Amino acid sequence: MKNKITQLFNIEYPLIQAGMIWASGWKLAAAVSNAGGLGLIGAGSMYPDVLREHIRKCKKATAKPFGVNVPMLYPNIEEILNIIVEEEVKIVFTSAGNPKTWTAFLKEKGIVVVHVVSSLKFALKAQEAGVDAVVAEGFEAGGHNGRDEMTTFTLLPIVKEQLKIPLIAAGGIATGRGMLAAIVLGADAVQIGSRFVASIEASSHINFKEEVVKAKEGATQLTLKELAPVRLLKNKFYDDVQELYSKAPTVEQLKELLGRARAKRGMFEGDLEEGELEIGQIAGLIHDIKPAKEIVKEIITEYTNVKQLIATL
């Protein structure tokens, strides 16, 4: 399945596992890379020394390419990027920040840089900053999203029309059919997060994984737009947020309710009541927990079969 993305990353399939906080440790990244996709370690939930450990363990677990996802809003970003350079990671996905800040630095070190965006405006700014590819992520995606609530399949062709570098689709994709649809709309590859949360290798808590599998249509909601828009499963914490909204809260009151480490509490420690359970709308289509290798095989097999079927119509 050779195309711009498989050649850029030297991978077999144009399928990338998202670097999700509290889910994307070295075990998941290595498993996806070994299966022919591109695995990403999620640096957003790691202290610098923990990230270094995960990178080293991933190197031992796979001889294939893998990368690190780096949200640029963290205060120790410089230390994190220096570790990535020191450990000779060759691929970095950046998000939640201005790509101009660090792209040149990373490119000078021979690192392939990809930036995650939620709009055409930011896609073009990332291209201008010199990134090698862009991830266009619709608001169906789990976790933190753009404020415009642009859906993936609307965003993709709009970005494709003007973008000159490779385009990766994210948000609401968990199957081979979804992958094919994204590529038909102009994507060169897909980035998948939620489906890999429900994998054996994901570092997220089993309580959270099982809650994802139980989720039905409409189980998630985008909220807290005044702080940083986030899509999560509806639970007691979500209900508490909605109750506060009914009282026209200030930003400070929302921050106080959110507190600290709410996502860790839910996704990593398994507190299904008070934790923040970040997952995408596509959770309603995820019905089991299985090894990442099987997930990749399932997606690619369905993609191939449906593509062949359409060719006969």
Side-chain angles (χ1 to χ4, degrees):
M1 297 176 67
K2 290 185 179 180
N3 70 4
K4 296 176 183 177
I5 289 294
T6 59
Q7 292 175 338
L8 179 64
F9 298 139
N10 191 27
I11 56 178
E12 186 176 356
Y13 307 124
L15 191 162
I16 297 142
Q17 162 249 314
M20 306 162 285
I21 65 168
W22 305 118
S24 304
W26 69 270
K27 288 182 181 179
L28 178 57
V32 173
S33 289
N34 283 332
L38 179 69
L40 296 181
I41 295 172
S45 53
M46 298 179 183
Y47 290 115
D49 58 334
V50 175
L51 174 60
R52 191 188 295 275
E53 179 185 353
H54 277 257
I55 291 171
R56 289 180 176 179
K57 286 184 176 180
C58 198
K59 284 181 178 180
K60 291 180 180 179
T62 182
K64 296 187 176 182
F66 70 91
V68 176
N69 180 80
V70 183
M72 296 190 291
L73 50 78
Y74 291 96
N76 55 1
I77 180 67
E78 185 172 359
E79 184 179 1
I80 287 171
L81 291 178
N82 282 331
I83 287 172
I84 287 170
V85 171
E86 290 166 11
E87 295 299 327
E88 300 183 337
V89 175
K90 299 302 182 184
I91 301 167
V92 170
F93 279 52
T94 56
S95 60
N98 186 347
K100 284 187 177 181
T101 310
W102 290 103
T103 296
F105 168 80
L106 293 169
K107 296 276 288 180
E108 287 170 3
K109 306 298 182 180
I111 295 172
V112 174
V113 182
V114 182
H115 192 64
V116 182
V117 303
S118 59
S119 69
L120 171 62
K121 177 178 73 173
F122 291 123
L124 295 178
K125 285 187 175 183
Q127 179 175 261
E128 182 183 349
V131 303
D132 296 285
V134 161
V135 176
E137 182 178 75
F139 94 121
E140 301 98 320
H144 295 288
N145 284 314
R147 300 180 184 277
D148 296 332
E149 300 192 7
M150 181 77 79
T151 62
T152 301
F153 281 14
T154 299
L155 179 62
L156 273 179
I158 290 175
V159 173
K160 181 66 176 181
E161 188 176 49
Q162 297 191 42
L163 197 71
K164 296 178 181 178
I165 58 178
L167 174 61
I168 300 165
I173 304 166
T175 65
R177 290 176 182 272
M179 179 178 175
L180 180 59
I183 288 176
V184 168
L185 285 175
D188 298 294
V190 295
Q191 178 172 276
I192 294 175
S194 296
R195 184 63 190 97
F196 287 111
V197 168
S199 68
I200 299 296
E201 295 89 350
S203 51
S204 44
H205 198 281
I206 186 61
N207 290 354
F208 177 44
K209 295 180 186 182
E210 291 177 346
E211 203 69 7
V212 169
V213 170
K214 289 190 289 185
K216 305 298 181 184
E217 177 188 3
T220 71
Q221 185 68 44
L222 190 71
T223 189
L224 293 172
K225 292 181 72 173
E226 294 84 354
L227 304 181
V230 61
R231 180 172 297 283
L232 41 71
L233 285 172
K234 297 173 182 177
N235 63 350
K236 181 183 178 299
F237 167 63
Y238 169 80
D239 291 340
D240 290 343
V241 171
Q242 297 311 109
E243 183 180 351
L244 184 57
Y245 270 126
S246 71
K247 301 174 184 177
T250 64
V251 170
E252 288 305 315
Q253 287 174 317
L254 288 170
K255 287 182 178 179
E256 183 180 354
L257 175 61
L258 179 61
R260 293 181 60 83
R262 182 77 73 164
K264 179 183 180 182
R265 188 171 176 179
M267 295 185 283
F268 192 67
E269 297 175 355
D271 187 339
L272 303 182
E273 295 295 316
E274 299 295 342
E276 184 177 289
L277 308 175
E278 300 177 12
I279 203 72
Q281 283 184 323
I282 204 69
L285 201 59
I286 298 171
H287 306 307
D288 51 18
I289 301 168
K290 60 177 61 175
K293 180 179 180 180
E294 291 185 20
I295 293 172
V296 171
K297 181 180 179 181
E298 188 176 80
I299 292 170
I300 297 302
T301 298
E302 182 176 90
Y303 168 87
T304 303
N305 290 343
V306 175
K307 184 178 180 182
Q308 290 174 347
L309 176 63
I310 291 174
T312 65
L313 299 179

